[in-house]
Amino acid sequence: MFAALTQFGVSGRAVKQQLCCVKFWNPRDFTQDNYHTVDDRPFGGGPGMVMLVEPLDLALTAVKTELLRRGVVAPRMIYLSPQGRRLDQALVEELVREPALVLLAGRYEGIDERVFARHRLEEVSIGDYVLSGGELPAMVLLDAVIRQIPGALGHADSAREDSFADGLLDCPHYTRPEDYLGLKSPPVLRGGNHAEVSRWRLRQALSRTARRRPDLLEHRAMSPVELELLTELLGENHRETGPE
Ligand code: 9WO
């Protein structure tokens, strides 16, 4: 399942270049019975199954032991769950500075609560929806974190100009042809004036953010040029000009 992360794209290249290492631990390898059971019926009844505490406890302990051998003392351990703290770029930038991360992906209806008593697990959510397991959220988190590792991106500045890198939504992008079936690309982007291009992109980013995600602007400090552009935009809004 994790081949999408470890074998493809930016994250795949980072793994190949050994900028990071991703290791997998199967709770089934930490079972004692012949069937390698990792789940059981929930106490109190109800549908579905719950992941057994013992295989998860043993697996997490084994991971910690290996990390200790490698000099990592108290790794951050994260259980991917809809009950967790919402993943955002600030958390991603926090996590990329960690020497190691231990991610726990649940299946079925979830894990026995006593896993939390045995290990200090943070809960992280990638959004308010229920999936079939924590693996895809783990991959989402890892993709976001790995692309922030220095050297992971081909272009040195690609990360800085990413959406959210500056707390703003991304600006629109254009490439050839200049004119597609009468749909024109903005001339400013082809004029060769880099200062004007930067100003246009910032203006677009501010405008989009103000319209689509005003919450992002609430706690964000504004530079003088940003304030100037935003004031311009607000003036235009009052006069009811076109979209963005
Ligand atoms: C199932 C369920 C059914 C009815 C009402 C609430 C419910 N919650 C769950 C549930 O959390 N199931 C999980 C499936 C158990 C752990 C792994 N699974 C999971 C993780 N689904 N979705 C996530 C997840 C993780 C991080 N961010 C978003 C979703």
Side-chain angles (χ1 to χ4, degrees):
M1 198 176 174
F2 282 81
L5 181 85
T6 60
Q7 292 178 23
F8 297 88
V10 169
S11 57
R13 269 194 304 278
V15 170
K16 204 180 210 169
Q17 294 178 95
Q18 295 184 42
L19 298 177
C20 63
C21 154
V22 187
K23 190 165 176 182
F24 303 94
W25 303 73
N26 190 343
R28 282 198 200 283
D29 299 337
F30 298 86
T31 53
Q32 325 267 337
D33 66 314
N34 287 333
Y35 300 99
H36 301 289
T37 310
V38 293
D39 63 336
D40 206 340
R41 295 156 69 197
F43 282 146
M49 300 292 267
V50 174
M51 292 189 80
L52 292 166
V53 60
E54 188 182 56
L56 294 179
D57 179 27
L58 294 177
L60 290 172
T61 300
V63 176
K64 277 180 179 167
T65 303
E66 170 159 338
L67 284 173
L68 202 55
R69 207 163 46 73
R70 298 191 192 194
V72 180
V73 174
R76 277 178 86 163
M77 309 217 294
I78 295 170
Y79 176 54
L80 287 307
S81 106
Q83 284 77 43
R85 163 184 176 187
R86 182 71 145 269
L87 181 69
D88 60 15
Q89 196 63 28
L91 179 54
V92 168
E93 281 165 22
E94 210 180 280
L95 294 178
V96 73
R97 294 195 298 269
E98 295 293 324
L101 296 172
V102 181
L103 305 184
L104 175 59
R107 276 272 155 177
Y108 316 111
E109 304 309 300
I111 66 178
D112 189 307
E113 191 67 16
R114 290 168 292 186
V115 174
F116 295 101
R118 297 279 302 159
H119 300 272
R120 210 186 69 234
L121 285 170
E122 298 172 50
E123 286 184 83
V124 172
S125 165
I126 63 159
D128 293 337
Y129 34 78
V130 180
L131 302 168
S132 312
E135 292 88 349
L136 289 171
M139 279 191 263
V140 167
L141 185 149
L142 286 173
D143 184 83
V145 170
I146 290 172
R147 60 183 286 106
Q148 295 300 325
I149 298 173
L153 292 170
H155 248 170
D157 339 4
S158 290
R160 203 153 303 290
E161 294 193 14
D162 262 0
S163 176
F164 283 117
D166 199 23
L168 295 176
L169 298 183
D170 214 355
C171 63
H173 303 285
Y174 295 88
T175 184
R176 290 186 292 179
E178 276 182 36
D179 182 319
Y180 180 69
L181 306 176
L183 296 170
K184 303 208 171 31
S185 52
V188 58
L189 299 181
R190 289 176 276 109
N193 184 332
H194 296 302
E196 256 191 71
V197 169
S198 288
R199 194 177 159 86
W200 181 88
R201 286 183 172 154
L202 178 57
R203 188 186 151 92
Q204 292 289 323
L206 281 165
S207 171
R208 278 188 162 183
T209 310
R211 284 171 184 279
R212 301 186 191 181
R213 293 292 306 279
D215 57 297
L216 293 177
L217 293 179
E218 243 153 66
H219 301 287
R220 187 179 170 282
M222 293 273 179
S223 72
V225 62
E226 287 172 351
L227 271 175
E228 181 194 325
L229 288 168
L230 201 57
T231 311
E232 243 175 67
L233 287 164
L234 290 172
E236 285 172 18
N237 287 348
H238 284 299
R239 293 192 297 277
E240 309 248 12
T241 50
E244 295 188 340

